[in-house]
Amino acid sequence: MVVLQLRFLLVPFLTSTMGAAQYMMQDAALMNYIDRRFLSLEKRLEKCNQDILDYVEEFRDFSQMVLSRLAGLNSYKAEVKNEVENLLTRIERAQRDIDYFGSVTDSNTCIEVHEDLVKQQLFEEAEEKKKLKLMLNASCDHMLASIKSLKIVKKTGDKHGSWMKDPGKKHTKIYLLNGSVNNVILEFENIMTFMEDNHTLKARRVTLPSPWEGTGHIIYQGFLFYHRYGSLNEIIKFNIQKRKITDQMLLPGAGRIPAYQLSPSTKIDLAIDEQGLWALHAEPETGGNIVITKINHITMAVEHTWDTSCSSKDAEAAFVACNILYVVYNFPSGGTSRIQCVYDALAAVNTYEIPVLHFPKRQGSHSTIHYNPKEKQLFAWGDGSQIIYKLHTKPKV
């Protein structure tokens, strides 16, 4: 009887225990399912976040590319505008020539017109010469007679570079611009500091906002004038002490071919003489002959341009002294540099009778030659050497 009672009591207990176990298994399966779903959602959210980051990065790159191209388009717009203005000037000149030739006929009336045109042209040429003499100080009456001597001041830096003093300032600072593409100027207190072995430690470093191209830069009255790297013909005016760009300009016709065949990195060569700032370059339209342009260094405006008869073929450098262009030639393999083409902007000198002038006691080549009108010397960079050439001058004849 007792056994029967125990059986009746055990059956409900076991039944309830099994039911609870079954519910626990179902709950565990449900929790496992929910956990897997959450993991799947987390993975999807993680992938979604990564996709968003990728899209943001791609959009940022796209925005930078668009901004860069817009900046380039603005530069090209300015260059195209300048080229169009230059083209219009040439068209006007050509139209005047066409009108002149069209006026020449056999009739007496046309002969009178022809004579009037000749008189008008002679008058305009005389007026133009007067303006040039006023612009270029006619009292600058000396010319180069010979290169007396050279002094190798130091040998430092790359094969190509430029070094100079500021002829428009009273200080004795030396500036070194190493390489044909760079953005760092080294400023030394004087030439003795520059000549020391540890000279770079004592130099003041000036970093430009954009690098230069070539070796044709020049420092004048506290400003660095240079051809901006990556541009066709943009000249930058940079205040060295304030370390900022103060002006810029586009030089018409320049930048398409090297100024000198033996210095292909230099498309625009800037020069200083007693009259101020000049730009030298070559153009395909002139058959590769060198073109010189007088620039107002304050307003950065073109004052006048001359097409010279000096070829850029086999030329390695050039400089301007007292309104006269001197072009330096050499051999492609290097040799004795020589001046064998001279052009006077005022046509006051018979340049065809000037003998060839040789650089003394040195075999090699120059990547840049700059005239210092204050000291009447040439500051040259030849195969990594910084050289000073002393000049002998004579009155213009």
Side-chain angles (χ1 to χ4, degrees):
M1 192 67 179
V2 175
V3 173
L4 288 173
Q5 289 177 351
L6 288 171
R7 284 179 179 176
F8 283 116
L9 291 172
L10 285 171
V11 167
F13 175 75
L14 292 172
T15 303
S16 62
T17 302
M18 291 176 64
Q22 184 177 3
Y23 283 125
M24 289 178 66
M25 291 177 64
Q26 290 177 351
D27 290 344
L30 180 61
M31 292 299 294
N32 189 28
Y33 170 76
I34 293 172
D35 188 53
R36 288 199 309 272
R37 295 293 295 174
F38 272 117
L39 287 174
S40 176
L41 286 172
E42 287 177 355
K43 289 181 180 178
R44 291 182 181 182
L45 285 172
E46 197 173 311
K47 185 177 183 303
C48 183
N49 287 335
Q50 186 60 44
D51 289 343
I52 290 172
L53 290 174
D54 292 340
Y55 292 147
V56 169
E57 185 66 26
E58 184 179 349
F59 182 74
R60 186 181 292 112
D61 294 340
F62 177 74
S63 299
Q64 290 177 352
M65 181 188 69
V66 170
L67 291 174
S68 175
R69 292 191 176 181
L70 285 174
L73 287 174
N74 287 332
S75 176
Y76 290 142
K77 178 182 177 182
E79 291 176 3
V80 169
K81 181 181 177 182
N82 209 308
E83 291 290 343
V84 169
E85 291 176 353
N86 186 36
L87 180 61
L88 289 174
T89 301
R90 293 187 176 185
I91 290 174
E92 289 176 0
R93 291 177 182 173
Q95 187 62 49
R96 288 199 299 267
D97 292 339
I98 291 172
D99 293 341
Y100 164 69
F101 287 115
S103 66
V104 179
T105 64
D106 294 332
S107 67
N108 293 331
T109 303
C110 290
I111 290 173
E112 291 176 1
V113 172
H114 170 70
E115 290 175 352
D116 291 340
L117 282 173
V118 171
K119 290 179 181 179
Q120 180 65 26
Q121 287 180 345
L122 291 173
F123 175 76
E124 290 177 357
E125 288 176 2
E127 289 297 312
E128 184 70 16
K129 287 182 179 179
K130 287 181 182 179
K131 290 179 182 179
L132 291 177
K133 286 183 178 180
L134 289 174
M135 181 182 71
L136 303 176
N137 188 356
S139 65
C140 188
D141 57 357
H142 65 269
M143 60 181 295
L144 183 60
S146 65
I147 301 170
K148 291 196 298 185
S149 62
L150 71 84
K151 178 182 179 181
I152 297 178
V153 177
K154 196 175 183 64
K155 186 175 178 63
T156 183
D158 298 340
K159 181 178 180 180
H160 304 291
S162 183
W163 77 297
M164 66 201 76
K165 284 184 179 180
D166 184 347
K169 291 286 185 177
K170 294 181 180 180
H171 60 62
T172 58
K173 291 181 179 179
I174 296 291
Y175 296 91
L176 182 97
L177 295 90
N178 185 42
S180 57
V181 177
N182 203 340
N183 69 333
V184 176
I185 309 171
L186 296 182
E187 180 187 78
F188 302 89
E189 283 300 317
N190 51 55
I191 197 165
M192 299 306 297
T193 305
F194 171 67
M195 292 173 66
E196 293 179 7
D197 292 336
N198 59 345
H199 65 289
T200 55
L201 298 177
K202 298 183 178 181
R204 172 176 174 255
R205 297 171 65 88
V206 180
T207 302
L208 304 177
S210 57
W212 65 71
E213 179 173 344
T215 59
H217 18 268
I218 199 73
I219 292 175
Y220 185 57
Q221 295 190 350
F223 296 91
L224 169 69
F225 300 86
Y226 70 96
H227 179 200
R228 183 175 69 82
Y229 174 73
S231 72
L232 177 65
N233 55 5
E234 184 178 0
I235 298 174
I236 299 293
K237 180 182 181 181
F238 178 80
N239 189 311
I240 297 175
Q241 296 304 317
K242 295 182 179 180
R243 303 193 180 197
K244 67 176 184 178
I245 294 174
T246 59
D247 207 346
Q248 63 254 1
M249 66 169 291
L250 299 177
L251 185 62
R256 290 171 292 170
I257 60 175
Y260 318 114
Q261 184 189 49
L262 301 185
S263 299
S265 65
T266 301
K267 304 293 179 57
I268 299 174
D269 189 15
L270 300 170
I272 291 293
D273 77 340
E274 291 80 358
Q275 312 303 327
L277 181 63
W278 300 77
L280 320 176
H281 71 278
E283 292 185 15
E285 290 82 358
T286 64
N289 285 355
I290 295 173
V291 177
I292 60 175
T293 302
K294 184 69 181 65
I295 299 174
N296 186 312
H297 72 277
I298 298 174
T299 64
M300 296 294 283
V302 172
E303 293 183 330
H304 198 79
T305 297
W306 294 262
D307 293 340
T308 78
S309 57
C310 297
S311 175
S312 62
K313 184 180 179 182
D314 292 333
E316 64 177 9
F319 60 92
V320 180
C322 201
N323 307 321
I324 299 179
L325 170 71
Y326 299 90
V327 185
V328 182
Y329 294 87
N330 208 325
F331 301 100
S333 58
T336 301
S337 300
R338 61 202 182 276
I339 297 171
Q340 64 181 51
C341 189
V342 178
Y343 180 86
D344 183 6
L346 290 177
V349 176
N350 187 358
T351 56
Y352 293 101
E353 296 181 358
I354 298 175
V356 175
L357 302 177
H358 292 273
F359 283 71
K361 300 179 183 178
R362 186 178 177 276
Q363 295 289 319
S365 60
H366 299 92
S367 64
T368 184
I369 299 175
H370 285 310
Y371 173 66
N372 186 303
K374 182 180 177 182
E375 301 183 357
K376 301 294 188 291
Q377 295 176 340
L378 299 179
F379 284 69
W381 188 293
D383 298 322
S385 296
Q386 291 74 50
I387 307 166
I388 290 178
Y389 291 101
K390 292 186 177 181
L391 306 178
H392 174 65
T393 60
K394 64 180 181 180
K396 289 183 179 180
V397 292

